[in-house]
Amino acid sequence: MTNLIDLTKKVGIVLEKKKLTGVKAEIILAIDQSGSMSSLYKNGTVQQIVERLLAIGMNMDANKEIDVFQFNNGANFVGTATEANHATFVKDTKMTVSGGTKYAPVMELIVSKYGIALSGNQEPAKKSLFGGLFSKKAKEIPIKPEHPTFVLFITDGNNSDKSEATRIVRESANQPIFWQFVGIGKEKFAFLQKLDDLKDRYVDNADFFKISNVAKVSDEELYDKLLTEFPDWLLQVKAKGMLS
């Protein structure tokens, strides 16, 4: 088991270097559960990933936690990893592996839960000329979140729903959601690189890097890579008034 206190301190050092000290965000982990990930679940790599990424939540998340999602052909919310439950999180939440790989279901789930909500604002009913009541159609008003959402998206393979995933990245560019894609293993991940380089977006809301063996990457290097583009994106989001 990793030492969460030491990891939290390491993240703090990287945040200071990136001028992110004190910044709060919703920290989300979306992790591949397709069949090809089986060995990484069995050998404890996924458990270590949860622990290492929780350290980011301990620094940045307002509740010092991370929400965890799994995805294969579908997607589901697994639970919230915290200081109290992190040591056996994968085992206790019964995180399983099966099926193929689609990105869009979990991306849609995340956008629907953490994206900009809409509130119906309906004017009071008034009498018509004929004595009946009428009211103007409800007007949807966006409710801007207080904190941005930082999605740590971990996968070991390419997906079968490229057009849908591309659409979601493009359409969510006007929301305070940042997609940090991480490819692990031997794949070339040409599609994830394409998502990173998408043109004509409201803001550049995605980054990608590859790690052949995540277990062999030092904590300092991992955190530095994960936080490479988030600071510049956050400046753009604030400048465009996308947060409350």
Side-chain angles (χ1 to χ4, degrees):
M1 182 179 71
T2 55
N3 188 317
L4 185 59
I5 295 176
D6 288 345
L7 293 176
T8 302
K9 290 179 179 178
K10 290 177 181 178
V11 173
I13 293 171
V14 175
L15 290 175
E16 183 176 2
K17 183 175 70 173
K18 305 283 187 180
K19 297 182 179 179
L20 290 172
T21 302
V23 169
K24 295 301 178 186
E26 295 284 352
I27 307 299
I28 312 301
L29 169 59
I31 190 160
D32 197 333
Q33 70 172 125
S34 61
S36 60
M37 288 282 293
S38 178
S39 63
L40 298 181
Y41 279 83
K42 289 180 179 178
N43 68 15
T45 297
V46 171
Q47 173 63 37
Q48 290 176 8
I49 288 173
V50 171
E51 294 174 11
R52 294 171 84 179
L53 299 189
L54 175 59
I56 296 178
M58 293 292 291
N59 278 274
M60 297 181 69
D61 191 274
N63 297 314
K64 297 186 176 183
E65 61 191 25
I66 59 172
D67 287 345
V68 182
F69 294 78
Q70 280 189 305
F71 62 92
N72 49 17
N73 293 318
N76 65 290
F77 173 66
V78 176
T80 301
T82 68
E83 183 178 11
N85 71 7
H86 76 280
T88 55
F89 184 83
V90 171
K91 177 182 177 182
D92 292 346
T93 55
K94 297 179 173 61
M95 293 176 73
T96 58
V97 291
S98 64
T101 306
K102 290 185 178 181
Y103 297 165
V106 73
M107 295 173 75
E108 289 179 341
L109 193 58
I110 289 169
V111 171
S112 67
K113 184 172 182 178
Y114 304 97
I116 295 174
L118 295 174
S119 173
N121 182 28
Q122 189 165 331
E123 293 188 8
K126 298 178 181 179
K127 284 189 176 182
S128 71
L129 294 175
F130 304 101
L133 294 177
F134 73 91
S135 63
K136 291 187 176 181
K137 185 179 180 180
K139 181 180 180 182
E140 292 183 327
I141 299 175
I143 303 174
K144 298 177 182 178
E146 181 180 359
H147 304 305
T149 296
F150 187 15
V151 183
L152 306 167
F153 194 104
I154 313 293
T155 182
D156 76 332
N158 290 314
N159 58 323
S160 60
D161 59 344
K162 293 179 175 57
S163 60
E164 294 91 341
T166 301
R167 173 185 57 80
I168 295 169
V169 169
R170 194 180 297 282
E171 292 181 354
S172 65
N174 65 350
Q175 301 208 38
I177 299 175
F178 186 77
W179 305 96
Q180 178 57 69
F181 296 104
V182 182
I184 56 177
K186 298 179 180 180
E187 280 283 353
K188 293 183 178 180
F189 299 104
F191 176 66
L192 289 181
Q193 187 62 62
K194 179 180 177 181
L195 291 182
D196 185 6
D197 297 333
L198 274 181
K199 305 296 183 184
D200 302 320
R201 282 175 287 169
Y202 188 63
V203 296
D204 182 352
N205 61 335
D207 185 30
F208 162 71
F209 65 89
K210 174 184 174 179
I211 298 176
S212 296
N213 189 335
V214 66
K216 293 186 177 181
V217 175
S218 71
D219 299 322
E220 292 82 359
E221 181 182 357
L222 178 63
Y223 297 139
D224 186 77
K225 286 178 176 291
L226 288 171
L227 293 161
T228 294
E229 289 194 14
F230 179 79
D232 288 340
W233 170 83
L234 185 58
L235 290 176
Q236 293 182 59
V237 165
K238 290 180 177 179
K240 290 179 178 290
M242 295 162 66
L243 294 170
S244 63

